[in-house]
Amino acid sequence: MDDCDVLIVGGGPAGSSCAWGLRAAGLDVAILDRQRFPRDKVCGGWITPQVLSELGIGTDEYACGHVLQPIRAFRTGWIGGPMLETDYNQIVSYGIRRREFDEYLLRRSGARILSPAALAGLKRENGEWIVNDSIRTRLVVGAGGHFCPVAKLTAAKPSRENAVVAQEAEFEMDEAQQAGCRIQPERPELYFCADIKGYGWCFRKGNFLNIGLGRLDQHRLSEHVAAFVRWLKSAGRISFDISSSLLGHAYLLYGVSERKVSDDGVLLIGDAAGLAYKQSGEGIRPAVESGLLAAQVIAGAQGNYSRESLAAYGRLLAERFGGSGKDWASRLGVHLPSALTGAIGRRLLGTRWFVRDVVIERWFLHSNQSALQQPAR
Ligand SMILES: Cc1cc2nc3c(=O)[nH]c(=O)nc-3n(C[C@H](O)[C@H](O)[C@H](O)COP(=O)(O)OP(=O)(O)OC[C@H]3O[C@@H](n4cnc5c(N)ncnc54)[C@H](O)[C@@H]3O)c2cc1C
């Protein structure tokens, strides 16, 4: 039987950030992931700069041996409509490859990395957890993404959840594809669906191309993706097909998710807790921040991992990400007909100030929210 103080299930950005936040807490922290790293993860790989500063990662240090694509501009619009360009004279974001980024975070986390194994069994015995009949721990942190099995332990997880569904392909372009790709590396492209229930993206990171589309509406996702790719070709953005390399995944948005984030001896972080930003779907930053906040609570709990003690984590999340996360219309119970929402949305997407100030800076860059400050050690 292996023993550890804290077992983190999942070695993605949430799990490794939590371990990194605990590196000086004097605890034996172990990470269990079902996959051997480096591993692929379905994701656009766009990160805001706050992610790097929160984890103390220097860009020069990371760029050495890893793809780190600076972003200085955006091309936006709606699928089938006109496009707007928004330029910044500075780097406002980065593109990374999840295969590289997640391995890098995991290796520097300071945690003990257990042999790859899926969490298959979890038993409670005398205030401790017995995991897979082979690991004993007092605290389990669920960081296994949207389908994290630890999330089933916190009783309030509803049986039906309104998740974002998305498909994406990332591949290295050959010479012919490079010649037929008009996406510029420093200028990712974002195109909203005509009904404003989702958006597609094309993102070039050096010679890697990432194309995908996510929607809040779970019906006919493949048709939306196929139509988006056809439109990209007809609009001359790419000259080749990508449909055979698309992979799908799902995740929950903060404010839509109703998962209970802590209980006796359990915390949920990242996608396991359902924390992605509502408007952009950015989930890496909330995964990192929730991992760091969880670490703060674990370190401060001094071995008391009761439900009451861990409840401080939910309060920190609410302080950081806001209360229910509902917009004004949902709070007032106002439901605009989708044709009207679509028409208003398409109109706004043609308005330069709205795209720059609201869509890009507020929703996608979160430039009004500075990096999470770490408590002094
Ligand atoms: C198509 C798509 C595009 C996206 N694009 C972006 C983007 O550009 N920028 C952004 O910020 N966010 C994006 N997101 C969201 C982002 O990918 C997630 O929010 C983020 O990966 C959450 O990190 P995490 O550590 O919580 O979970 P994950 O990254 O999912 O990591 C979970 C880990 O747990 C492991 N695991 C799962 N089950 C088990 C088990 N039973 N036992 C042991 N280990 C297990 C997995 O192997 C994995 O390594 C996108 C999501 C999708 C679907």
Side-chain angles (χ1 to χ4, degrees):
M1 186 72 76
D2 193 347
D3 265 288
C4 60
D5 295 313
V6 180
L7 180 75
I8 301 175
V9 178
S16 49
S17 301
C18 181
W20 187 79
L22 285 170
R23 69 200 178 286
L27 296 169
D28 178 17
V29 179
I31 294 183
L32 178 75
D33 198 294
R34 66 178 172 193
Q35 296 202 62
R36 187 178 297 281
F37 285 56
R39 56 98 176 90
D40 288 317
K41 161 76 181 81
V42 179
C43 182
W46 169 357
I47 54 166
T48 38
Q50 294 92 334
V51 167
L52 298 178
S53 55
E54 285 165 350
L55 292 174
I57 299 172
T59 50
D60 290 345
E61 168 209 330
Y62 184 76
C64 184
H66 305 103
V67 171
L68 185 67
Q69 174 61 59
I71 298 173
R72 292 188 164 87
F74 298 90
R75 179 187 276 256
T76 54
W78 50 276
I79 300 168
M83 302 164 193
L84 271 186
E85 300 210 341
T86 306
D87 283 282
Y88 294 87
N89 292 323
Q90 54 177 352
I91 298 173
V92 290
S93 264
Y94 295 98
I96 47 90
R97 299 195 62 225
R98 288 294 298 271
R99 186 178 175 77
E100 299 173 352
F101 188 65
D102 289 16
E103 189 197 24
Y104 175 85
L105 296 189
L106 185 61
R107 301 288 159 222
R108 80 195 279 276
S109 70
R112 216 155 37 91
I113 299 160
L114 304 177
S115 311
L119 179 116
L122 203 50
K123 282 186 295 206
R124 195 90 170 124
E125 258 180 34
N126 306 324
E128 291 184 325
W129 294 106
I130 310 292
V131 178
N132 290 357
D133 288 329
S134 59
I135 310 161
R136 184 190 302 276
T137 185
R138 297 203 34 235
L139 178 64
V140 171
V141 178
H146 180 63
F147 299 104
C148 182
V150 181
K152 296 194 184 95
L153 292 178
T154 58
K157 181 184 172 298
S159 53
R160 232 183 100 72
E161 296 183 306
N162 198 13
V164 169
V165 287
Q167 287 184 4
E168 168 264 0
E170 181 168 289
F171 56 94
E172 188 164 16
M173 291 183 286
D174 60 27
E175 276 184 25
Q177 288 170 327
Q178 286 172 40
C181 174
R182 290 179 59 202
I183 320 294
Q184 292 168 32
E186 300 209 339
R187 188 187 297 267
E189 309 196 357
L190 302 173
Y191 300 111
F192 286 80
C193 300
D195 60 5
I196 316 291
K197 288 186 180 165
Y199 69 89
W201 64 87
C202 318
F203 190 5
R204 182 171 178 169
K205 310 165 199 175
N207 283 332
F208 289 91
L209 186 63
N210 188 301
I211 293 186
L213 182 139
R215 282 179 63 79
L216 267 171
D217 167 10
Q218 303 180 359
H219 305 289
R220 303 187 357 255
L221 175 67
S222 297
E223 286 173 37
H224 283 282
V225 177
F228 176 50
V229 175
R230 274 199 306 278
W231 177 74
L232 287 175
K233 286 173 77 180
S234 68
R237 306 313 298 154
I238 52 170
S239 64
F240 45 89
D241 197 22
I242 58 145
S243 356
S244 59
S245 32
L246 287 159
L247 292 172
H249 197 53
Y251 61 114
L252 291 167
L253 303 176
Y254 184 72
V256 175
S257 161
E258 289 172 19
R259 291 190 183 183
K260 186 175 166 194
V261 296
S262 64
D263 211 333
D264 259 328
V266 188
L267 286 176
L268 299 183
I269 58 178
D271 276 5
L275 299 178
Y277 284 125
K278 199 169 172 184
Q279 286 89 358
S280 63
E282 175 188 359
I284 299 173
R285 182 173 172 189
V288 167
E289 293 190 353
S290 59
L292 295 174
L293 292 173
Q296 226 172 285
V297 170
I298 296 166
Q302 301 190 330
N304 173 5
Y305 304 134
S306 65
R307 179 180 299 135
E308 296 71 28
S309 166
L310 297 179
Y313 167 64
R315 292 194 290 274
L316 287 182
L317 283 186
E319 262 171 44
R320 182 68 183 166
F321 299 111
S324 74
K326 285 190 175 148
D327 54 30
W328 65 269
S330 333
R331 272 198 211 109
L332 294 174
V334 175
H335 297 290
L336 299 176
S338 62
L340 184 58
T341 322
I344 296 171
R346 291 194 298 277
R347 176 113 197 189
L348 288 171
L349 286 171
T351 314
R352 207 164 272 286
W353 73 262
F354 182 81
V355 169
R356 190 182 185 100
D357 293 6
V358 179
V359 178
I360 298 178
E361 293 184 10
R362 184 169 284 269
W363 292 351
F364 281 82
L365 299 177
H366 289 274
S367 27
N368 58 336
Q369 195 173 35
S370 49
L372 190 66
Q373 296 303 310
Q374 292 295 304
R377 288 182 188 280

